[in-house]
Amino acid sequence: MHTNPRADHHGNASPPSLSGFWRKNTSCMEAEELANLLRALRKAAGHIGPNVGVIEYSGMSHGEAASIVIDPALVMGEYPVPPKTVDAAVGLTVHEAFHKTEWSEKVWKLLSPDFAALPGLSRVAFQRIVHTGEDIYVDLLADRSVLGRYTSGVRNRVLEDAESRLNREKPSLEALIHLWWASVWTVQDEGAVNPAYEKGLEILQNLTGNLKNLPDRRAGVLQRCQERAALYKNAWAALEGAVKGLQILDKRLLWAPAAAVSSVNAQDAALPAKTKKNGLDAELRRDVEISLAQGSADITPIIRSIVGPDNPDVAPISRWDFNIAAHPVIDRKTVGRLRAIFANYAERQKIVSRGLACGRIDRRRLYRAPINGRCFRQVDSMPSEDWNVTLLLDATGSMRGGKWRMVENTVGNMHKALSGSQNRLGAWAYFEMDGICMMSRLISGRNLLSVPPSGQTASGQAIIAAAYFMPKDKRRKLLIHVTDGESNFGVDASCGIDYCRQQNINLVTIGCGVKDRSRMKEQYGRTIQFVSRFGQLPSAMEKLLKWSFLYGDAKNLAAENRLNRIFSTD
């Protein structure tokens, strides 16, 4: 038997690499490149179906039964990862993803009573047949699209490695299975087949034909599992006598009722010993998870990187893009006052216009007087639009009703006042759902959004997340946090306050209608100001902006006392 490692099942030579045509997001940094590759693997598996599970490197696994674990040793060592190595990783991922979408584990569970009824060696032989049959089935499915070009490269390598370890002196079950597996994609020389394998190979090739035609039938995935289980039982009934004289080299069981299908598939088992799964070390794993979190919904690794990986209070936190349209009531007077604050209280910058026909004499342009008369200048003092303002709004269960409508109106007035200016405005709402702190943007371009308030108050983590995602530029930063109660979920609010200080972000918390002010002062210290009711929120926002423009950069007690006096009038 001869297997061409660069030929697909049609005998056509495959290109040297496939991922080089589409993978452009690469990096020379180890953690960043491993994260980029994992994103690529997840995207490739996403073309197969929505239920492929979580794809992670070993060492990152959270123990989910549906996860696909990739050995990082396969791709580590050279950065950017070479395209051929990426092809192999994609092939392994696609192979495992089809196992997930076709419910291979369900087939094993359906055959569990049949395994229990067999003696030891027969059970091992039957499981070897089922295991290889499932690998053949999913690879046949992959061959129906371009994904089959990735699985074929890995499969050919595995077949060559397995063939090099076979003992030709005595017929074995492993040699029969290898012969069956290779015959699906290569033309066999009939004269080269050992007579001891002829009957068994004929039965297994008939099984291959049935597996190949199975997806063409209009049946659900459960029915396909049942039909595959029936095909394996029928094949084993005809094959049991033909394999009795064959030696079994590896007598380990691949599946037991108390465990899922072994995570070491046929391809993984045939890899060299030096590539067995060791997992990422702790520091590299954290760096990869942080890089992945930058563009994903789950931002828990970012919070852990700030408050410490061993902080027991960290709760899962996620960005949530599902929100509803907001319909705030815009108060023109409030909008006008807010615009006036940004125009009158912000720092001024001088803009000098030279070469004018009138104005003040410009000594630097006096030589222009006899030429064209343009020897004048004008100095304008314009407000400096260099502020990044972010609103962080408590959208927990206690904010339902009129409180949340007042908050929506405040966001709408701020958005209207800053539209058309170079000051940046961002708005986040945070709430809790099923033990997860959800962060949702409330401004998308010109559109204002809203969320249904619910759950507990994870103020500490919300402050960290809002501060982390503020634009990274030289503009001055102001984070305004509006809440009606103390933080009772996730990390302590002091963690968020400390992070804002480290990032030179002015954080002010406005406590609206708070009953237990002493508890809030314990959590937020001097960064909190109180108003008696939500109706005072618009005027409180105006006073806060004035204080920020005048004293916001002053890190002294006098500036804080000034802010306290401003809010004490409420």
Side-chain angles (χ1 to χ4, degrees), residues 105-392:
E105 184 178 348
K106 180 65 176 178
V107 176
W108 289 89
K109 291 180 179 180
L110 291 173
L111 292 172
S112 179
D114 300 275
F115 295 148
L118 292 175
L121 291 181
S122 296
R123 185 185 307 176
V124 172
F126 187 23
Q127 288 192 1
R128 289 279 187 274
I129 301 299
V130 174
H131 195 228
T132 306
E134 284 297 284
D135 282 341
I136 291 174
Y137 174 72
V138 298
D139 279 2
L140 289 173
L141 286 178
D143 284 345
R144 297 185 171 212
S145 66
V146 70
L147 297 175
R149 291 188 174 271
Y150 294 97
T151 56
S152 65
V154 180
R155 182 177 60 249
N156 290 332
R157 174 188 170 187
V158 172
L159 285 171
E160 287 185 347
D161 292 340
E163 187 177 12
S164 65
R165 296 196 301 269
L166 291 177
N167 185 359
R168 300 294 183 181
E169 296 180 359
K170 187 174 182 179
S172 64
L173 177 67
E174 285 78 5
L176 173 61
I177 291 177
H178 178 271
L179 193 63
W180 168 40
W181 195 7
S183 68
V184 180
W185 286 278
T186 58
V187 178
Q188 302 292 320
D189 185 1
E190 296 183 359
V193 177
N194 191 320
Y197 303 137
E198 288 182 353
K199 183 178 179 181
L201 183 60
E202 181 181 358
I203 297 172
L204 292 174
Q205 287 177 338
N206 290 334
L207 174 60
T208 301
N210 293 328
L211 292 174
K212 189 174 184 179
N213 296 329
L214 187 59
D216 294 330
R217 306 173 188 173
R218 295 187 176 275
V221 61
L222 180 58
Q223 186 175 345
R224 291 198 298 273
C225 291
Q226 294 170 345
E227 292 183 5
R228 296 205 305 277
L231 290 175
Y232 295 139
K233 286 192 290 187
N234 294 336
W236 174 249
L239 189 66
E240 187 174 7
V243 300
K244 279 187 176 180
L246 299 179
Q247 182 182 10
I248 300 178
L249 303 178
D250 188 354
K251 299 179 176 62
R252 293 176 299 175
L253 290 173
L254 297 178
W255 191 87
V261 184
S262 173
S263 61
V264 182
N265 55 37
Q267 294 176 345
D268 190 19
L271 293 176
K274 65 179 181 180
T275 65
K276 294 303 178 184
K277 299 178 181 178
N278 295 318
L280 300 172
D281 60 76
E283 184 177 358
L284 180 57
R285 183 190 72 245
R286 287 195 295 268
D287 292 341
V288 171
E289 290 176 344
I290 293 171
S291 180
L292 289 171
Q294 302 292 334
S296 66
D298 183 13
I299 57 176
T300 310
I302 295 176
I303 305 299
R304 290 191 181 278
S305 69
I306 295 172
V307 303
D310 300 325
N311 192 316
D313 296 328
V314 177
I317 180 170
S318 177
R319 287 182 288 187
W320 193 50
D321 292 333
F322 180 77
N323 35 40
I324 56 181
H327 302 284
V329 178
I330 304 299
D331 185 353
R332 294 183 180 180
K333 293 183 179 180
T334 302
V335 172
R337 289 195 298 268
L338 289 173
R339 284 178 176 170
I341 290 173
F342 279 92
N344 299 328
Y345 286 84
E347 287 188 359
R348 321 303 288 183
Q349 58 180 352
K350 289 184 179 181
I351 300 177
V352 181
S353 301
R354 301 181 185 275
L356 302 179
C358 61
R360 284 179 168 271
I361 293 292
D362 186 0
R363 289 176 296 177
R364 295 169 56 181
R365 295 290 190 271
L366 283 176
Y367 68 91
R368 293 281 184 182
I371 301 173
N372 54 15
R374 294 186 176 274
C375 60
F376 300 94
R377 67 171 183 170
Q378 180 177 337
V379 180
D380 296 315
S381 180
M382 303 295 293
S384 179
E385 298 181 339
D386 61 345
W387 279 91
N388 279 321
V389 181
T390 297
L391 305 178
L392 178 61

Side-chain angles (χ1 to χ4, degrees), residues 446-496:
R446 297 182 178 180
N447 299 322
L448 295 179
L449 307 172
S450 182
V451 295
S454 65
Q456 303 179 76
T457 308
S459 299
Q461 294 187 190
I463 291 173
I464 295 174
Y468 183 87
F469 289 109
M470 290 186 76
K472 304 295 190 292
D473 53 27
K474 295 182 179 180
R475 297 168 185 258
R476 291 178 294 177
K477 299 176 176 64
L478 174 62
L479 178 57
I480 303 174
H481 175 216
V482 180
T483 182
D484 70 336
E486 63 189 59
S487 177
N488 56 14
F489 182 60
V491 301
D492 192 76
S494 60
C495 297

